[in-house]
Amino acid sequence: MRKLIAGNWKMNGLRADGAALARDLVSRAAKSPPSCDLLVCPPATLLAEIGSLLAGSRIALGGQDCHAEPKGAHTGDVSAPMLKDAGCAYVIVGHSERRQNHHESDATVRAKATAGLGAGLIPIVCVGETAAQRDAKQHLSVCGGQIAGSLPEIAGAGQLVVAYEPVWAIGTGRTPTTTDIAEVHAFIRAELKKRVANPDAVRILYGGSVNAKNAAEILGVANVDGALVGGASLDGASFWTIAQAAG
Ligand code: 13P
């Protein structure tokens, strides 16, 4: 399966920074097109502008979250149809920073993923254990519970991406061993087999301290179909090295 390298810019980037980064990526893609799919998920304020800069390139646009409702009295929220309208093809849902800081439950994440699908977006559903859960050897049961509770019901082939992001690896510079990554990704694939019609068509991304140095090794692990990159996606050269490692 062609790998997907996705950049989650999180709450980073004013208009000038975002535009400069997008232009840099478009120029790199034109010069040396990678043999993977590429996605950037800028903050909501930049979506429309970055979307126009990416138009005609092979780099897709995604939102970092969406509301479960298509519109209404939800101050500060952004809906899935709004993301689609801004040019998005994907939406991240259930990132641990939303699960933790915004108290999002599995049911909320599932509702958001379902809303994304309804708007014609591909949801990227994030799962992952905390350090305490890993220490207690609960990582598989935690990820299994999140998958059971947050995956949208109707996802078919190519309509869904799952991202394994161990909370303790996000922004810390620490990554699981390749054996640990392989274990969880194989487990997620097996869970998908129970739940979706075409489980091998669902990409399973790894996220958490992926950088230009460790990308090739991580992307070489079985069942790792790409990466969800935070910090290193804010630097054009690093993001590009990761994309090339996927080819
Ligand atoms: P870092 O790559 O900064 O660890 O962030 C990973 C992440 O949360 C991507 O969604």
Side-chain angles (χ1 to χ4, degrees):
M1 182 165 20
R2 205 173 151 86
K3 292 194 197 293
L4 172 66
I5 302 299
N8 175 8
W9 294 5
K10 307 193 180 183
M11 197 173 72
N12 293 293
L14 302 181
R15 289 175 65 199
D17 313 320
L21 180 52
R23 284 202 181 91
D24 179 56
L25 296 177
V26 167
S27 120
R28 288 174 191 275
K31 277 189 216 127
S32 54
S35 42
C36 64
D37 290 338
L38 289 168
L39 167 67
V40 293
C41 302
T45 49
L46 302 186
L47 284 173
E49 189 169 345
I50 304 275
S52 340
L53 291 171
L54 298 179
S57 81
R58 298 224 338 262
I59 307 171
L61 185 72
Q64 298 178 9
D65 177 47
C66 67
H67 197 277
E69 298 293 332
K71 62 178 181 178
H74 301 288
T75 304
D77 283 310
V78 174
S79 76
M82 289 170 177
L83 294 178
K84 181 76 179 172
D85 188 45
C88 291
Y90 291 82
V91 60
I92 299 170
V93 293
H95 192 284
S96 64
E97 288 152 15
R98 307 251 4 138
R99 290 180 184 267
Q100 286 189 337
N101 306 343
H102 297 263
H103 313 292
E104 292 189 1
S105 66
D106 286 334
T108 301
V109 175
R110 169 179 278 158
K112 290 179 173 206
T114 304
L117 281 169
L121 301 169
I122 300 175
I124 302 177
V125 180
C126 302
V127 301
E129 81 284 357
T130 62
Q133 290 165 335
R134 162 76 51 180
D135 290 344
K137 302 206 184 324
Q138 292 166 349
H139 50 287
L140 296 184
S141 62
V142 167
C143 292
Q146 290 175 336
I147 284 173
S150 3
L151 284 200
E153 298 286 345
I154 50 164
Q159 274 196 307
L160 174 69
V161 176
V162 175
Y164 169 53
E165 297 208 312
V167 179
W168 53 273
I170 295 176
T172 59
R174 291 172 60 210
T175 52
T177 64
T178 50
T179 311
D180 290 340
I181 294 174
E183 180 196 32
V184 179
H185 280 240
F187 171 78
I188 292 174
R189 183 77 66 204
E191 290 297 304
L192 288 170
K193 286 197 171 121
K194 297 183 206 161
R195 291 184 167 80
V196 300
N198 198 344
D200 292 325
V202 178
R203 283 165 164 146
I204 308 173
L205 311 184
Y206 169 79
S209 296
V210 175
N211 58 41
K213 289 207 179 95
N214 62 20
E217 189 184 22
I218 291 171
L219 289 165
V221 174
N223 288 302
V224 174
D225 306 310
L228 184 51
V229 185
S233 74
L234 298 173
D235 176 71
S238 298
F239 190 63
W240 212 253
T241 305
I242 296 167
Q244 280 168 333

